[in-house]
Amino acid sequence: MDTKELLKKVRKIEIKTRRLSDHIFGGEYHSTFKGRGMTFSEVRQYQFGDDVRNIDWNVTARYNEPYIKVFEEERELTMMLVADVSGSEFFGTDQQFKSEIVTEVAATLAFSALQNNDKIGLILFSDEIELYIPPKKGKSHVLRIIRELLEFKPKSKKTDVSQALKFLSGVMKKKAIVFVLSDFIADGYRDTMKIAAKRHDITGIRIYDKREEEIPSLGVVQMEDEETGELLLVNTTSKKVRSNYSKYYQERVNYYKESFTRSGAGVIDVRTDESYVKKLLGYFKRRG
């Protein structure tokens, strides 16, 4: 992709996703992901209905009437986008590849964070860490993240979600809002997920294509494994072949859902031919 075409694509995604984050997600994001904690702001006279637990007994004793401590939310947060760039992301049978939806969802979330003056960072992973961009603020930083999501060429086509979560735990010492974007056709990350979710507020966004869920009966078909590059002749008329594939696929989906929910993390499923806007908004509203 040449520079001119890339800039055009970045601009197109910016216009689409910025409009979404400005009009829809900005406020929802703010109310869903509240600040890290409360900082002391001031002392004022007690008013009916105030929480008695916030009474400042020293000031109350001095003035002989009740005063309470007022706290303000620490608003600044850090968002980490952890995006799968393995071979299976370059699959799509309708209008868009999974990788394109990953980019749009990530951009929408990044602009929502930008609107709230939060820092945004990026981790691109396959079965290794392909790229790490430390969290920063600002529009030019968000545009750099979109550029990387659009044009990055991974060294590996395989997937290892566990590696990504380990790296996240290593570089992010303070609590962050984390969105892991992948098709999650992998396993072996349950334990690392538990560790990462203790420190961070994590949401998994599974992006998938409806044609991946089962193999249609099309006779003997040559198929390529996107992650290994292996070419296989598959008899798709065989009920056993189709059944084994569906079972394998469903096991990966169940593993993802159980690993995330049991760790206290959130899950969102986005199909490539569905509106990710409704899915994100529904999730934010449920959590808000």
Side-chain angles (χ1 to χ4, degrees):
M1 198 186 298
D2 64 31
T3 311
K4 197 177 173 185
E5 193 188 338
L6 175 65
L7 290 172
K8 201 172 159 187
K9 269 201 155 189
V10 170
R11 182 76 186 129
K12 193 178 171 187
I13 284 178
E14 183 196 353
I15 290 164
K16 180 178 180 179
T17 59
R18 186 134 202 196
R19 197 165 57 232
L20 288 173
S21 62
D22 285 353
H23 297 301
I24 304 171
F25 294 113
E28 294 296 339
Y29 168 89
H30 181 98
S31 58
T32 304
F33 302 104
K34 297 181 173 67
R36 276 194 302 274
M38 307 301 276
T39 54
F40 174 70
S41 173
E42 60 176 338
V43 173
R44 63 161 170 79
Q45 277 185 297
Y46 177 85
Q47 293 167 4
F48 180 74
D50 284 338
D51 191 336
V52 292
R53 289 172 297 184
N54 292 333
I55 289 177
D56 186 321
W57 294 107
N58 291 332
V59 179
T60 297
R62 196 181 309 150
Y63 291 104
N64 218 15
E65 58 179 314
Y67 276 77
I68 68 157
K69 291 176 183 174
V70 179
F71 294 88
E72 278 182 356
E73 187 184 26
E74 268 186 78
R75 218 353 278 175
E76 188 186 285
L77 298 166
T78 297
M79 178 197 280
M80 284 303 298
L81 298 166
V82 182
D84 182 353
V85 288
S86 65
S88 62
E89 294 306 312
F90 295 92
F91 179 91
T93 51
D94 284 300
Q95 292 84 15
Q96 287 181 296
F97 288 133
K98 288 185 283 185
S99 57
E100 291 173 307
I101 303 290
V102 166
T103 301
E104 285 194 22
V105 171
T108 304
L109 293 167
F111 279 121
S112 298
L114 176 69
Q115 216 181 330
N116 282 280
N117 201 30
D118 292 343
K119 291 178 182 173
I120 304 114
L122 177 69
I123 295 168
L124 298 182
F125 73 96
S126 52
D127 61 341
E128 56 185 277
I129 301 307
E130 297 275 356
L131 178 72
Y132 170 54
I133 300 177
K136 264 175 71 176
K137 293 182 184 185
K139 182 185 165 184
S140 60
H141 181 67
V142 170
L143 293 178
R144 184 197 164 190
I145 284 172
I146 296 170
R147 274 200 307 276
E148 293 292 359
L149 283 161
L150 277 172
E151 70 160 0
F152 189 83
K153 299 283 184 285
K155 293 192 276 293
S156 172
K157 285 187 168 186
K158 296 176 182 176
T159 311
D160 188 339
V161 178
S162 184
Q163 279 288 91
L165 293 169
K166 270 182 201 162
F167 183 81
L168 171 77
S169 295
V171 291
M172 297 302 296
K173 298 301 178 192
K174 287 185 177 175
K175 183 179 178 179
I177 295 164
V178 180
F179 290 97
V180 186
L181 301 105
S182 174
D183 53 16
F184 293 101
I185 302 178
D187 53 19
Y189 55 85
R190 187 167 284 158
D191 292 341
T192 22
M193 182 64 217
K194 273 182 196 163
I195 295 162
K198 276 179 186 165
R199 182 181 293 161
H200 304 295
D201 184 337
I202 302 181
T203 301
I205 303 181
R206 184 174 76 97
I207 293 165
Y208 68 103
D209 190 290
K210 64 182 177 186
R211 305 284 165 85
E212 291 175 301
E213 295 177 286
E214 53 188 43
I215 300 174
S217 179
L218 298 169
V220 178
V221 178
Q222 188 180 60
M223 291 187 177
E224 181 184 356
D225 186 316
E226 285 288 357
E227 299 207 353
T228 64
E230 193 182 351
L231 290 170
L232 304 162
L233 281 174
V234 179
N235 180 9
T236 62
T237 57
S238 162
K239 278 187 180 175
K240 192 180 177 187
V241 166
R242 295 205 307 275
S243 166
N244 285 347
Y245 174 81
S246 295
K247 188 173 173 242
Y248 167 82
Y249 183 85
Q250 202 49 54
E251 279 170 0
R252 299 284 89 67
V253 174
N254 294 342
Y255 183 90
Y256 148 73
K257 289 188 175 171
E258 282 172 22
S259 300
F260 273 73
T261 51
R262 283 183 184 176
S263 303
V267 290
I268 306 172
D269 284 352
V270 176
R271 212 168 71 185
T272 53
D273 60 336
E274 290 178 334
S275 164
Y276 63 81
V277 176
K278 283 181 184 169
K279 294 294 180 83
L280 287 177
L281 208 49
Y283 177 73
F284 282 3
K285 281 194 153 79
R286 282 195 305 277
R287 280 199 48 165

